[in-house]
Amino acid sequence: MAEQASIAEATMTGANNGEGVRRRDFINIAAVSFAGVGGLAALYPLISQMAPSADVLAESSTEIDISAIAPGQAIKAVWRKQPVFIRNLTPEEIKAADGVDVASLRDPQTLEQRTTAGKTNWLITMGVCTHLGCVPLGAGEGEVKGEFGGYFCPCHGSVYDTAARIRKGPAPKNLEVPPHEFSSDTVVKIG
Amino acid sequence: MSFPWANEYKPTNPLMQWVDERLPLPRFVYNAVGAGYPVPRNLNYMWNFGVLAGFALVLQIVTGVVLAMHYAANDKVAFDSVEHIMRDVNWGWMLRYAHANGASMFFIVVYTHIFRGFFYSSYKAPREMIWLLGVVIFLLMMATAFMGYVLPWGQMSFWGAKVITGLFSAIPLVGTPLQEWLLGGFAPDNAALNRFFSLHFLLPFVILGVIILHVWALHIPGSSNPTGVEVKQESDTVPFHPYYTAKDGFGLGIFLLVYCALVFFAPNLLGHPDNYIPANPLSTPAHIVPEWYFWPFYAILRAFTSDFLFIPAKLMGVLAMFSAILVWFFLPWLDTSPVRSGHYRPLFRKFFYLLVVDVLVLGYCGGAPAEEPYVMISQIASMYYFLHFLVILPVVSSIETPAPLPFSITEAVLGKDEHATLAPATPAVA
């Protein structure tokens, strides 16, 4: 009995710093925090493993020969496993794109901003609708180009003009222009 | 947890007594879905669908585990491995059709179960938790079904995956990185296919866990019933077994008739021919639609075609589509009428049927191409859908004069309460 009482007394006096916080509370908080931080750190690889892996990231540039594309024609290339439209615009199509009041567009951009200086006839865009990712029609032979003469997405009816700018339908943005540069007059490097 | 007059589990077999003393699992089952669970005596066939949904889940798990023994989740061979199942694996064609149509049957049953809940206000106190868990199960089912549909790696699989993960890119700032993280690439690819397979295998067991919680929560107040009047006395109930095991058995027979008719005579009726074309990332099918059970929500997604204030149309569509299900979480508090059953709510009943028609119209538009007049019909129907839950239900609850309720379930069934007869007590099982 006496022994128990002295242990209780020791706990009371020895561990109590006067504000009701005991030494044991500190150990408790420190141990749980340490385990918590460790647990969170262990989550990081579990979440990060889902992001694109190194081999997927490595396929991030491609070179394309554009010498055979006549004005008015377009081809579909592949970059990052997604389609890219490379289109040789006719002077009429350039004129149609430049004739639009940029301020009236949903995603205001001029054709110059979307092409390389001196090569405004080469419109290079992703073939991925900015709505939900379908491939719009209009690059292939005989495909519907939509009422603005550019691209038409059959999934949800988005219509793009000759500068591949969104004009009508649910898509929020213009078709994305991927990073690209002309290695020569006939070869373009995407990515 | 149960009524005081519930039958008690009294095993006579010494082996069962031995088990009961050490692990009372048979007792647990007896009290959950056996003679130890007293159930209102007036349940109609709308109360079959909970058991049927459970059966459909077991069916999906059994056929799914077997299919996983033959399927290969790799983008190079996934499509061929499904054809291998169809052509070479013994009974593979039947197992795959059973799994694909089982998903459709699961959704038919669950939609009926949910609309039963709408009509009889099964979500009202004290059963809110059962309802909330049910909505969670439905969301998990949708995720599981979507990922399962991606696995054959046909054109619809691929483009379905692209469009649905594309929904996440609508979220401001984090959208595109989030989409790339979900897919493990810039477009659906081997990484996405593999993780979808992993999760498609996992989620049904998560659903099973939530169903256990759903049934646990159900057994606290006990089952609801078509009058919405709570159980007051022993004459209001009968034991689950044999009365409702028999009734559910009959319903199961009808379920199996419809299911087998689909599997054996029209296995591709609810599918899309495009999914028998291998996935091609460079060509979108002319008309991509999800499976039929997503059509109402797909119609709501597509109904938003122009920007609203500062919110882009795409984000609005995504928000509306998710809200269409999330609004169910608030149902117990949106419907404030003290009367549960639609049978005693004349005004509510009319709006309930209008909602059924509205959802069917949305479903039809969701399966139709994205052109007029379907877009405008979807817009009107989507607006009405939200109007029903957010405006009509609270207003109807406050202005409606309900019909008089019966005194008890016994009176509703027999006309007079004092003439009640009790179900014979079933002898304890061996």
Side-chain angles (χ1 to χ4, degrees):
Chain A
M1 286 294 282
E3 201 180 343
Q4 277 180 0
S6 72
I7 290 171
E9 202 185 343
T11 318
M12 292 286 285
T13 53
N16 199 330
N17 65 3
E19 288 168 11
V21 181
R22 292 171 306 150
R23 189 179 272 178
R24 180 149 300 182
D25 291 333
F26 175 79
I27 294 170
N28 195 347
I29 290 167
V32 171
S33 313
F34 192 77
V37 169
L40 285 178
L43 270 183
Y44 183 78
L46 287 175
I47 292 169
S48 177
Q49 56 83 19
M50 280 179 67
S53 57
D55 61 326
V56 171
L57 291 172
E59 296 169 346
S60 55
S61 82
T62 181
E63 287 202 330
I64 294 146
D65 181 358
I66 53 172
S67 56
I69 310 170
Q73 283 187 335
I75 62 160
K76 291 181 197 174
V78 181
W79 178 61
R80 286 182 172 181
K81 300 212 173 177
Q82 295 181 93
V84 178
F85 294 160
I86 301 174
R87 185 156 170 172
N88 191 349
L89 297 173
T90 61
E92 294 79 50
E93 286 172 333
I94 296 172
K95 225 172 103 188
D98 287 340
V100 181
D101 174 17
V102 174
S104 71
L105 295 172
R106 187 179 296 172
D107 182 8
Q109 270 185 320
T110 61
L111 183 62
E112 274 76 48
Q113 287 169 323
R114 295 171 59 73
T115 50
T116 308
K119 294 192 182 288
T120 34
N121 61 317
W122 289 107
L123 179 67
I124 299 174
T125 60
M126 298 303 293
V128 179
C129 181
T130 55
H131 181 224
L132 294 173
C134 295
V135 179
L137 301 175
E141 190 76 41
E143 285 179 357
V144 189
K145 287 184 159 67
E147 62 188 284
F148 295 96
Y151 300 105
F152 171 73
C153 183
C155 292
H156 305 95
S158 292
V159 188
Y160 297 88
D161 66 12
T162 51
R165 294 175 297 200
I166 181 65
R167 298 294 290 272
K168 206 176 150 187
K173 295 276 180 197
N174 301 334
L175 287 186
E176 188 194 340
V177 177
H180 64 271
E181 57 184 28
F182 290 87
S183 323
S184 70
D185 277 349
T186 57
V187 175
V188 64
K189 184 178 168 217
I190 299 174
Chain B
M1 177 155 173
S2 186
F3 302 111
W5 55 85
N7 294 323
E8 203 202 333
Y9 178 67
K10 291 195 213 82
T12 49
N13 185 312
L15 176 66
M16 294 309 281
Q17 283 171 350
W18 185 90
V19 171
D20 187 47
E21 283 161 15
R22 283 152 184 85
L23 178 73
L25 185 64
R27 176 180 296 270
F28 179 79
V29 172
Y30 180 92
N31 289 336
V33 288
Y37 178 43
V39 186
R41 65 192 294 166
N42 60 336
L43 299 191
N44 59 32
Y45 280 110
M46 294 308 289
W47 266 259
N48 272 14
F49 288 85
V51 165
L52 292 180
F55 179 82
L57 178 69
V58 172
L59 198 69
Q60 288 306 88
I61 290 179
V62 171
T63 52
V65 167
V66 171
L67 285 169
M69 295 178 187
H70 303 280
Y71 170 77
N74 180 294
D75 66 335
K76 307 284 187 301
V77 294
F79 186 88
D80 291 341
S81 78
V82 172
E83 286 310 304
H84 158 75
I85 289 170
M86 293 301 287
R87 295 162 195 227
D88 303 335
V89 174
N90 297 326
W91 298 95
W93 61 271
M94 192 183 86
L95 292 165
R96 177 167 172 265
Y97 281 152
H99 195 71
N101 287 287
S104 283
M105 291 301 288
F106 199 178
F107 273 97
I108 290 172
V109 165
V110 162
Y111 276 127
T112 315
H113 194 59
I114 292 170
F115 276 81
R116 190 283 311 264
F118 286 154
F119 184 81
Y120 292 102
S121 307
S122 304
Y123 43 79
K124 282 184 187 166
R127 297 187 178 79
E128 300 97 322
M129 189 55 81
I130 312 171
W131 176 259
L132 300 179
L133 289 167
V135 180
V136 170
I137 293 171
F138 182 66
L139 289 170
L140 287 169
M141 271 180 71
M142 292 180 89
T144 311
F146 158 66
M147 288 191 268
Y149 194 57
V150 173
L151 302 184
W153 212 237
Q155 273 289 67
M156 282 293 177
S157 300
F158 180 89
W159 289 98
K162 183 132 189 183
V163 168
I164 299 298
T165 55
L167 298 180
F168 290 91
S169 71
I171 301 166
L173 300 175
V174 297
T176 306
L178 182 65
Q179 185 194 359
E180 285 170 9
W181 177 73
L182 286 169
L183 288 173
F186 305 101
D189 203 352
N190 191 43
L193 178 63
N194 245 303
R195 67 189 56 180
F196 282 9
F197 179 59
S198 168
L199 292 173
H200 183 72
F201 206 114
L202 167 74
L203 285 183
F205 298 96
V206 176
I207 292 177
L208 194 64
V210 185
I211 285 177
I212 289 170
L213 299 182
H214 187 67
V215 175
W216 184 6
L218 169 71
H219 280 67
I220 290 168
S223 298
S224 174
N225 72 87
T227 65
V229 176
E230 288 292 343
V231 168
K232 292 191 165 80
Q233 55 202 341
E234 189 176 358
S235 67
D236 288 347
T237 67
V238 290
F240 187 86
H241 178 74
Y243 292 90
Y244 286 111
T245 41
K247 189 161 183 155
D248 287 336
F250 178 77
L252 186 61
I254 304 287
F255 170 92
L256 287 173
L257 275 177
V258 177
Y259 176 56
C260 290
L262 273 177
V263 170
F264 295 108
F265 297 101
N268 289 308
L269 179 69
L270 301 170
H272 302 287
D274 274 307
N275 219 28
Y276 285 104
I277 302 169
N280 178 0
L282 297 188
S283 161
T284 311
H287 179 46
I288 43 174
V289 285
E291 290 281 84
W292 70 267
Y293 35 79
F294 292 141
W295 286 354
F297 305 103
Y298 196 57
I300 293 174
L301 170 75
R302 295 194 301 188
F304 292 82
T305 51
S306 55
D307 297 358
F308 177 75
L309 301 176
F310 55 91
I311 308 171
K314 178 174 158 183
L315 183 58
M316 272 308 285
V318 173
L319 289 177
M321 185 179 74
F322 285 113
S323 305
I325 298 169
L326 296 182
V327 72
W328 296 354
F329 279 118
F330 299 95
L331 204 46
W333 299 278
L334 287 169
D335 180 357
T336 53
S337 170
V339 176
R340 292 197 183 93
S341 171
H343 287 308
Y344 302 97
R345 300 185 62 189
L347 191 57
F348 166 85
R349 195 162 59 223
K350 292 190 181 73
F351 283 109
F352 167 81
Y353 288 119
L354 213 52
L355 177 73
V356 174
V357 172
D358 186 59
V359 172
L360 291 174
V361 167
L362 278 173
Y364 184 82
C365 292
E371 56 194 40
E372 296 298 350
Y374 304 114
V375 175
M376 200 212 273
I377 297 172
S378 305
Q379 286 167 340
I380 295 166
S382 301
M383 201 168 73
Y384 182 78
Y385 181 90
F386 287 104
L387 205 63
H388 175 90
F389 287 104
L390 299 175
V391 179
I392 292 173
L393 265 186
V395 169
V396 164
S397 301
S398 61
I399 64 169
E400 179 181 55
T401 312
L405 289 171
F407 169 73
S408 68
I409 293 170
T410 306
E411 189 189 275
V413 174
L414 299 175
K416 278 195 177 150
D417 199 49
E418 58 266 35
H419 286 182
T421 47
L422 298 182
T426 40
V429 291

